[in-house]
Amino acid sequence: MIEPLPPVSATKGHIQGLNGLRCLSILIVIIGHFFLGEYSGISSLGVYIFFVISGFLITRLLLAEAKETGDVRIGAFYWRRLLRLFPVLIVYMIVVVLFARMHSIPSPLIEIASVFLYFVNYLKSYYELAGTQHVLPIGVLWSLSVEEHFYLIAPLFIAFVRASPGKVLAFAIVMIVAPLLIRIGYVIQWPEWSNTNRIYMASETRFDSIAYGVFLAAICELSPEGRLRKAISSPQALIAGVALLVLSTVIRDDFFRDTLRYSLRGIGALLIVAPIVFSPRLGLLQNIANSPPAEWIGKLSYSLYIWHGAAWFFLSNTGMTKTVLTSFAELGVTFVLAVASYYLVEMPVLKWRNKASTRRKGVVTSSVAA
């Protein structure tokens, strides 16, 4: 059964294909990290898709809220964000620290703080440039830091301009161009940062990866039937997006890798997300994206992403050495922990949040009626 395409302009309804895209992204990340060894950098392609999905979905929801209520409630946005991210992070860090203490592994306070104050990306790059490593399995959480730094800016701007699609589009373009210029400046000024996490993980050099999603949401609202929106949502765009990701991977030039590669991969991810969500001519791929297994893995994707970072930490400290079989063990441990995390942590918090939101709306409606 083909799931109906979502309206192009912003609504709060379900968006077909997004969980399938999340499924694709997390599988790329996990397979890259667990099975590809020296080619594990391919896992970063999944992160680009995650970033575009995030920027698109959050901007679309904020635009929809503004259309529905006439305002963007910033406090409510950050409260929802806190409830979405922190419960799993809290449980994750409790389990990690307890495991570390059981195995006489130190738990540096700065590493714990970096998770909850969102500076893992800068701490990890500092450690790399200093020639050391983090002790706890926090490395994969760098992308959450980038996202939260971006969302300290974007929602405030959207609220300030009263969710004007044209101004949101201009903001997206600025946030796409500025990180490219910063990357170029960094490579020229500090060549020793080339091919390091200082460029790969810094928020100011990665904001464009999320801004491509903001760009898509703004275009959909500003000109839902325009040529550009239709072009980037076409099957040809999907082919071009895959080609850009492949091309950006095979080009090995150092300057390109540290500057333009990020831009090409961001565009490539955008050209994969838009057609899967909006094209009326990709029924087969959309059926796969909306299939029960893809939907389920997509729903698990946040917990899978968090817990996959600790799988080898747990196994290696119980005496295992890295082999193909232990890679499958990592996969099994990750899914077990992610399923437990989703059903025992994420879902109860989400249900509580939705009930609380419904009660608040009921109180407001009653007050208005009175």
Side-chain angles (χ1 to χ4, degrees), residues 181-246:
L181 298 178
I182 291 171
R183 291 193 296 268
I184 292 172
Y186 280 178
V187 171
I188 293 172
Q189 183 65 33
W190 294 285
E192 66 273 17
W193 289 0
S194 178
N195 197 28
T196 69
N197 288 328
R198 184 61 184 85
I199 292 180
Y200 178 69
M201 294 184 177
S203 297
E204 71 273 14
T205 60
R206 295 306 306 271
F207 277 168
D208 55 335
S209 299
I210 306 172
Y212 285 109
V214 179
F215 176 89
L216 175 60
I219 284 291
C220 288
E221 191 66 20
L222 189 65
S223 183
E225 298 305 318
R227 285 186 180 181
L228 177 58
R229 202 285 304 168
K230 290 183 176 180
I232 62 178
S233 304
S234 67
Q236 294 85 351
L238 177 62
I239 295 170
V242 173
L244 282 176
L245 293 186
V246 172

Side-chain angles (χ1 to χ4, degrees), residues 86-140:
F86 259 53
V88 173
L89 286 177
I90 290 170
V91 172
Y92 177 77
M93 291 306 298
I94 289 173
V95 171
V96 164
V97 170
L98 287 176
F99 181 89
R101 292 196 173 184
M102 288 171 57
H103 291 81
S104 301
I105 300 169
S107 301
L109 182 59
I110 192 169
E111 294 186 13
I112 298 171
S114 72
V115 172
F116 297 109
L117 299 178
Y118 294 114
F119 61 91
V120 172
N121 56 337
Y122 290 108
L123 181 65
K124 189 170 172 62
S125 62
Y126 169 78
Y127 278 167
E128 181 189 32
L129 293 173
T132 187
Q133 291 251 7
H134 50 85
V135 179
L136 301 176
I138 61 171
V140 299

Side-chain angles (χ1 to χ4, degrees), residues 137-174:
I138 61 171
V140 299
L141 304 181
W142 71 270
S143 61
L144 294 185
S145 298
V146 175
E147 284 194 59
E148 295 321 296
H149 296 162
F150 186 86
Y151 295 129
L152 285 175
I153 302 170
L156 293 173
F157 180 85
I158 292 172
F160 179 73
V161 300
R162 297 185 177 276
S164 162
K167 292 175 181 177
V168 173
L169 178 62
F171 170 81
I173 293 171
V174 170

Side-chain angles (χ1 to χ4, degrees), residues 135-355:
V135 179
L136 301 176
I138 61 171
V140 299
L141 304 181
W142 71 270
S143 61
L144 294 185
S145 298
V146 175
E147 284 194 59
E148 295 321 296
H149 296 162
F150 186 86
Y151 295 129
L152 285 175
I153 302 170
L156 293 173
F157 180 85
I158 292 172
F160 179 73
V161 300
R162 297 185 177 276
S164 162
K167 292 175 181 177
V168 173
L169 178 62
F171 170 81
I173 293 171
V174 170
M175 297 300 276
I176 286 169
V177 174
L180 172 60
L181 298 178
I182 291 171
R183 291 193 296 268
I184 292 172
Y186 280 178
V187 171
I188 293 172
Q189 183 65 33
W190 294 285
E192 66 273 17
W193 289 0
S194 178
N195 197 28
T196 69
N197 288 328
R198 184 61 184 85
I199 292 180
Y200 178 69
M201 294 184 177
S203 297
E204 71 273 14
T205 60
R206 295 306 306 271
F207 277 168
D208 55 335
S209 299
I210 306 172
Y212 285 109
V214 179
F215 176 89
L216 175 60
I219 284 291
C220 288
E221 191 66 20
L222 189 65
S223 183
E225 298 305 318
R227 285 186 180 181
L228 177 58
R229 202 285 304 168
K230 290 183 176 180
I232 62 178
S233 304
S234 67
Q236 294 85 351
L238 177 62
I239 295 170
V242 173
L244 282 176
L245 293 186
V246 172
L247 179 66
S248 69
T249 302
V250 299
I251 296 176
R252 311 305 296 175
D253 176 75
D254 288 347
F255 184 80
F256 170 83
R257 179 194 58 219
D258 291 323
T259 56
L260 288 171
R261 174 188 280 182
Y262 295 93
S263 300
L264 287 188
R265 286 185 171 180
I267 295 169
L270 165 64
L271 296 180
I272 289 172
V273 171
I276 293 297
V277 173
F278 291 118
S279 175
R281 292 183 286 159
L282 291 171
L284 176 60
L285 289 179
Q286 288 160 344
N287 279 345
I288 295 172
N290 293 310
S291 66
E295 279 277 326
W296 184 66
I297 293 175
K299 290 175 181 178
L300 290 178
S301 60
Y302 176 58
S303 281
L304 283 169
Y305 185 80
I306 299 299
W307 288 99
H308 97 277
W312 183 240
F313 178 76
F314 295 148
L315 294 177
S316 64
N317 284 292
T318 54
M320 289 192 179
T321 56
K322 188 69 173 177
T323 66
V324 174
L325 288 179
T326 55
S327 292
F328 280 103
E330 285 182 273
L331 186 62
V333 168
T334 296
F335 265 89
V336 168
L337 292 173
V339 168
S341 175
Y342 179 72
Y343 288 105
L344 299 179
V345 181
E346 284 192 68
M347 286 301 294
V349 172
L350 179 62
K351 288 178 181 177
W352 176 82
R353 188 189 78 180
N354 289 342
K355 284 182 181 179

